[in-house]
Amino acid sequence: MIFSKILWSALAAVASFTTVASLPSSPVYVGHALAAALGTTPCPVACTPLTDYRVALPYNMFPNGEHCCEMVQVTYHGISTDVRFTDLFMGAVNSQNISLSYEAFELLAPLEGGAIFPVYWQFVSS
Ligand SMILES: *[C@@H]1O[C@H](CO)[C@@H](O)[C@H](O)[C@H]1NC(C)=O
């Protein structure tokens, strides 16, 4: 009985430590997501492996391609998908708008709409 109590509190301590350690640390941005918008340019580094599930992020937030090739979690109406940051969105200056590849956009909403809002996005470890 005493042993199981000690074991239980040890497990609880491990569980709460795990919870603290896994708190998301990167900020969450919100903007419109467009489907393969015009005005994107590839990151200064080529991201490998190549993937169809890509996102272009606002150029002014990453003027030197910071964070290029990292994974970004994009969420719309409770649906999340992880995409790779491969392009800079020149047309999104001074917004948190993003441009998704058609393949990625289609996982969140039908292509016909062309743009969706609000879309939450944040860097996640790949
Ligand atoms: C963000 O995207 C929306 C939808 O396309 C657009 O109306 C808005 O002007 C964009 N904002 C900026 C700053 O580009």
Side-chain angles (χ1 to χ4, degrees), residues 31-34 89 91-98 114-117:
H32 299 257
L34 291 84
F89 192 2
V93 168
N94 297 325
S95 78
Q96 296 176 4
N97 286 359
I98 63 176
I116 49 179
F117 178 88

Side-chain angles (χ1 to χ4, degrees), residues 37-48 50-51 54-59 62-69 84-91 99:
L38 296 174
T40 65
T41 193
C43 276
V45 288
C47 305
T48 53
L50 292 174
T51 172
R54 299 185 299 266
V55 64
L57 299 180
Y59 168 71
F62 312 99
N64 300 305
E66 302 92 326
H67 295 287
C68 269
C69 305
R84 194 170 294 280
F85 171 26
T86 59
D87 296 83
L88 295 163
F89 192 2
M90 316 304 277
S99 172

Side-chain angles (χ1 to χ4, degrees), residues 108-120:
L108 301 175
L111 276 178
E112 293 73 50
I116 49 179
F117 178 88
V119 170
Y120 299 87

